[in-house]
Amino acid sequence: MAKYRLGVDVGGTHTDLVLADTETNEILIEKVHSTPSNPSLGVLDGIQRFFIRGVSATDIDFFSHGTTVTTNALLEMKGATIGMLITKGFRAIQVVQSQARESNQFDLKFQRPTMLASQQMTSEITGRVDYAGTEVEPLNEEDVRIAARALQAKGATSFAVCYMFSFMNQAHEQRTGEIIREEVPGAYVSLSSEVLPRIREWPRMSTTMLNAYLEPGLARYADDLDNGLNIAGVETARRFLMQSNGGVMPLGATAGGGRTVQTLLSGPAAGVQATGYVLGEKQGWAQVVTMDMGGTSCDIAFIQDSKPLEVTEGMIAERRLDVPAFDISTISAGGGTIARLTAANFMSVGPDSAGADPGPVCYGNGGDRPTVTDADLICGFLNPGHLLGGETTLDRDGALAAVKNTLADAMGLSAEEAAAGIVRLINARMADEIRVQAAKKVIDLASFTLVPFGGAGPVHAAMVADELSIPRILVPPNPGAFSALGLLCSDIVHDYIRSDICEINQLPSDRAEGYFTELEKQAATDLTDEGLADHDREFIRDLDLRYAGQGYEIRTPLDGLSASPMTAEGLAQVQERFHELHQTLHGHSARDQEIEVVSYRVRVRVPVPKQDLPEISIPEGTTEPVGEREVTFDGKEVHTAPVYTRDTLKSSTIEGPAIIEQFDSTTVLPPGWTAKLDKFGNIVGERNA
């Protein structure tokens, strides 16, 4: 009896599903329209399509899911009403924040985003522990009870608790959580000592508020999805949700424990994980920049030495979020991104999107504003009758009329010229973002390969590569569902942190070992609670280090050192590694300066069987086109481009201009480009010198 592993990625426009047969390694793909009002409905619709194709629900023994539920709730400000409990005398923290402008410092109209918990929804609580975790004033439990009842009366359904130095002593926060649950049964409670037990008040408070703001919505969604899977007959208990760090966690772990914020890059992380594992570790594409372009946005990330780059601090929707995550940059550049005229009669593209409903004009669902997809269709890149294998037809005449009436006539251009302008603008936006991120990371793009995925990525990839002088693109076999594939390439991963500042030369090795052991015990307890007690696991240790007096740290891995159990020799070795990392990242080191340990980190990884793309046998011979189509890249010069279907490609080289169509995406090859299949079935396109 066949057993299947199912990966589902919910995007802004489409929901992608990948079903892998564990016996034959065969992969089945489904792509359905997303259902923004209740994303679980789109997921369940896609699963039903597999059942129609003969798959039995009871044969699905693994389910992994990437979602934008939390991301969209934050972007649209549709989270819970939250109440904030803070240490008496510190209510100004969320107003002052870090005193820095997190966006463009030259923006004269800069305003901070709306506070997630207003001053009216914030209560000060008497009680204090000091920097060493010693209680200097007991917690006033009556303050907590009064605050909980008052905030509930104002509409709070979720509570964030962030007390001074709770990362050194969590007793006050833990007791506060117990009292809130007594006074407000059923309330969601986020404790900073669970969400982010590390130094720096504003990042800890911001991250905790984000967790409280988003947790109820994610918990409801996870519950809806869990129930829907049960009703559909999917019996497996192995149900997982993608996290921002490239690992997954059990679906049931979303409620409580402060893990909701770990999912804010759930969707984009899956594609990056697939690139790092499948293309990097397994196929040898070690230096890659990814371009995940879907219907709403484009996510950009870098893979170096087959490993996705990570960050531990960052911003999302202009809000501070300090959790481990893949280093992903997201911009508003998708197939549904809307084009319009500015007041000065110039063309502008984005940032808003037509999304899944109503979608681009050419979808015929009521959209009336031209989008990138409409422009792609007018330029000839898309087949009006081919989208989703012919399941969706595109209205080219409608797209032409929208571009003409909205843009072209006012600018004195033809509809084709205006459409080509939309394409050039969106390509320039993606190229600029890649260029900026590469410069920040000191990356030479000439040595990298651009890997596009998402439904729209392969359409624009070669044109973006031209802008950046990147010599090569690589389009994986199922680019439209590549992120969903990444969900079948991810281990279970949890991250833990504990801050305690100490000069490393004054740090007893048993004290350091004690912190690591404490975090590893917490990880083991969580795995037991998740039903994973009997599974193999790997503990990975890191230290956040800095030169004394610095205001930032560098995450320094301990792997390969004498670090478990921690010894004086291991501490000496990690100092040398820190010097080397500082030199690499900042161009200098200070070996005569004292080094401080700021935080201890533990990552637990539970291995999960992973999907691979095996080598294939490519038929010898010349690929014959199935037709031809007129395309234009500038709106003036028209090329007759042969059209190929991907599943009939042979060993021969294809010359651009050319179009390669498949169920979930279309690859556009401009003039001056060639392409052929490699042994794994990837389309490798190369720019002529």
Side-chain angles (χ1 to χ4, degrees):
M1 180 181 293
K3 291 292 183 182
Y4 298 97
R5 302 175 70 243
L6 176 61
V8 182
D9 175 52
V10 179
T13 304
H14 291 104
T15 294
D16 304 311
L17 302 95
V18 171
L19 190 73
D21 188 321
T22 58
E23 295 179 356
T24 65
N25 217 25
E26 179 186 6
I27 290 178
L28 301 179
I29 305 292
E30 283 291 348
K31 196 178 189 77
V32 299
H33 290 289
S34 294
T35 51
S37 60
N38 185 350
S40 65
L41 298 179
V43 175
L44 298 171
D45 176 34
I47 294 175
Q48 288 294 334
R49 296 188 179 207
F50 287 126
F51 297 162
I52 293 172
R53 296 169 68 173
V55 174
S56 171
T58 56
D59 284 348
I60 298 175
D61 68 353
F62 180 93
F63 173 86
S64 189
H65 177 41
T67 180
T68 55
V69 166
T70 50
T71 310
N72 292 340
L74 180 59
L75 293 174
E76 298 170 13
M77 293 300 292
K78 294 181 179 178
T81 299
I82 66 174
M84 184 79 194
L85 280 71
I86 59 174
T87 302
K88 185 176 181 179
F90 289 89
R91 71 184 309 129
I93 289 176
Q94 57 183 318
V95 178
V96 177
Q97 301 183 10
S98 65
Q99 300 188 24
R101 288 188 179 187
E102 303 289 3
S103 58
N104 182 358
Q105 59 183 314
F106 301 107
D107 182 3
L108 300 180
K109 297 181 180 179
F110 169 78
Q111 290 184 326
R112 297 195 189 279
T114 303
M115 289 190 292
L116 296 180
S118 67
Q119 291 293 312
Q120 290 75 23
M121 297 298 292
T122 301
S123 294
E124 298 183 47
I125 305 299
T126 301
R128 184 73 182 271
V129 298
D130 65 12
Y131 70 94
T134 303
E135 183 181 76
V136 295
E137 186 176 12
L139 177 70
N140 188 320
E141 296 191 2
E142 188 59 24
D143 278 3
V144 178
R145 295 186 187 279
I146 293 171
R149 292 193 293 265
L151 292 171
Q152 181 194 28
K154 295 177 183 178
T157 58
S158 183
F159 295 82
V161 182
C162 189
Y163 294 157
M164 292 292 290
F165 299 111
S166 61
F167 58 88
M168 293 299 297
N169 182 342
Q170 62 180 349
H172 283 189
E173 284 198 355
Q174 290 289 340
R175 180 57 186 149
T176 296
E178 293 171 358
I179 294 171
I180 292 173
R181 293 184 179 98
E182 292 171 6
E183 297 293 330
V184 189
Y188 293 88
V189 180
S190 296
L191 308 179
S192 73
S193 52
E194 294 179 346
V195 177
L196 187 68
R198 53 159 285 188
I199 65 165
R200 297 194 175 89
E201 291 308 303
W202 171 240
R204 183 159 58 91
M205 181 179 290
S206 176
T207 305
T208 304
M209 285 194 294
L210 282 169
N211 195 85
Y213 186 68
L214 300 170
E215 185 174 273
L218 181 63
R220 286 192 299 270
Y221 169 70
D223 191 52
D224 286 346
L225 182 58
D226 206 36
N227 291 334
L229 292 173
N230 291 336
I231 293 171
V234 179
E235 299 174 350
T236 179
R238 303 170 68 198
R239 303 174 181 182
F240 298 98
L241 181 66
M242 191 71 181
Q243 301 174 103
S244 305
N245 59 15
V248 296
M249 65 178 174
L251 191 61
T254 54
R259 293 186 186 172
T260 292
V261 289
Q262 306 285 349
T263 69
L264 272 163
L265 293 175
S266 170
V272 178
Q273 175 65 18
T275 306
Y277 178 75
V278 176
L279 301 183
E281 292 184 32
K282 293 299 182 180
Q283 297 183 14
W285 296 94
Q287 310 294 99
V288 164
V289 53
T290 67
M291 190 180 90
D292 179 3
M293 184 181 182
T296 305
S297 62
C298 179
D299 304 304
I300 293 159
F302 288 84
I303 314 291
Q304 285 189 296
D305 300 325
S306 301
K307 300 293 183 184
L309 299 185
E310 288 191 47
V311 293
T312 56
E313 301 176 353
M315 300 287 295
I316 183 164
E318 300 184 68
R319 300 181 190 277
R320 188 66 183 263
L321 176 69
D322 283 13
V323 296
F326 284 158
D327 191 356
I328 299 172
S329 173
T330 300
I331 58 174
S332 56
T337 302
I338 295 169
R340 59 173 55 84
L341 284 182
T342 67
N345 212 43
F346 291 112
M347 187 187 297
S348 173
V349 183
D352 51 335
S353 170
D357 185 14
V361 175
C362 61
Y363 280 14
N365 293 330
D368 57 4
R369 294 182 292 176
T371 67
V372 172
T373 295
D374 295 311
D376 288 339
L377 179 63
I378 293 170
C379 289
F381 304 150
L382 302 180
N383 183 339
H386 183 77
L387 192 69
L388 297 184
E391 180 179 318
T392 301
T393 58
L394 302 180
D395 180 7
R396 188 175 189 275
D397 290 339
L400 272 169
V403 170
K404 182 177 185 298
N405 297 335
T406 306
L407 301 169
D409 287 350
M411 300 180 71
L413 301 173
S414 68
E416 289 77 11
E417 288 173 321
I422 294 171
V423 172
R424 286 199 300 273
L425 282 175
I426 206 70
N427 290 342
R429 174 176 293 178
M430 292 184 286
D432 285 348
E433 185 66 18
I434 293 172
R435 188 181 292 111
V436 167
Q437 294 302 322
K440 288 181 178 180
K441 298 169 177 59
V442 197
I443 284 174
D444 177 15
L445 289 171
S447 62
F448 272 61
T449 297
L450 179 63
V451 174
F453 45 91
V459 176
H460 294 261
M463 292 178 278
V464 172
D466 268 334
E467 291 257 358
L468 296 166
S469 297
I470 293 177
R472 181 184 314 104
I473 67 170
L474 183 149
V475 184
N478 298 108
F482 196 60
S483 289
L485 178 69
L487 294 160
L488 304 182
C489 305
S490 304
D491 292 326
I492 298 167
V493 176
H494 296 327
D495 285 302
Y496 301 85
I497 186 171
R498 166 71 189 273
S499 290
D500 185 19
I501 301 174
C502 181
E503 288 187 2
I504 197 166
N505 286 326
Q506 304 299 318
L507 176 64
S509 59
D510 59 347
R511 178 176 167 185
E513 178 63 24
Y515 281 132
F516 282 125
T517 301
E518 175 187 319
L519 294 176
E520 288 168 359
K521 286 181 178 178
Q522 181 183 348
T525 298
D526 288 346
L527 292 179
T528 299
D529 292 342
E530 294 165 6
L532 301 169
D534 297 331
H535 288 63
D536 293 335
R537 77 280 307 269
E538 173 191 12
F539 291 111
I540 302 166
R541 296 178 169 187
D542 298 330
L543 286 172
D544 284 357
L545 303 177
R546 68 184 183 189
Y547 291 121
Q550 284 183 326
Y552 59 90
E553 303 86 51
I554 296 176
R555 184 175 181 173
T556 308
L558 272 61
D559 61 291
L561 305 180
S562 303
S564 183
M566 205 74 213
T567 63
E569 180 185 4
L571 291 173
Q573 292 173 333
V574 78
Q575 290 186 71
E576 179 60 30
R577 178 167 289 182
F578 170 75
H579 290 310
E580 294 171 356
L581 282 172
H582 201 285
Q583 179 73 42
T584 299
L585 293 172
H586 301 293
H588 64 91
S589 60
R591 294 178 180 272
D592 58 335
Q593 295 294 313
E594 289 290 340
I595 296 174
E596 290 180 334
V597 175
V598 177
S599 298
Y600 301 80
R601 294 182 183 271
V602 164
R603 170 171 288 181
V604 61
R605 183 184 299 275
V606 178
V608 171
K610 299 180 184 65
Q611 185 65 30
D612 198 2
L613 296 180
E615 294 186 24
I616 64 172
S617 176
I618 302 172
E620 293 292 331
T622 301
T623 305
E624 296 296 331
V626 295
E628 59 184 26
R629 193 156 66 239
E630 290 187 345
V631 299
T632 181
F633 295 88
D634 60 5
K636 298 177 181 178
E637 184 179 4
V638 177
H639 304 268
T640 299
V643 178
Y644 303 90
T645 56
R646 182 158 185 168
D647 57 5
T648 62
L649 293 181
K650 297 183 180 179
S651 61
S652 59
T653 298
I654 295 172
E655 301 279 345
I659 306 290
I660 304 172
E661 296 179 342
Q662 60 190 101
F663 168 76
D664 58 341
S665 189
T666 298
T667 300
V668 175
L669 210 61
W673 282 76
T674 60
K676 66 184 304 182
L677 292 180
D678 70 3
K679 62 183 180 179
F680 296 101
N682 302 305
I683 296 174
V684 180
E686 296 188 322
R687 185 165 51 88
N688 296 337

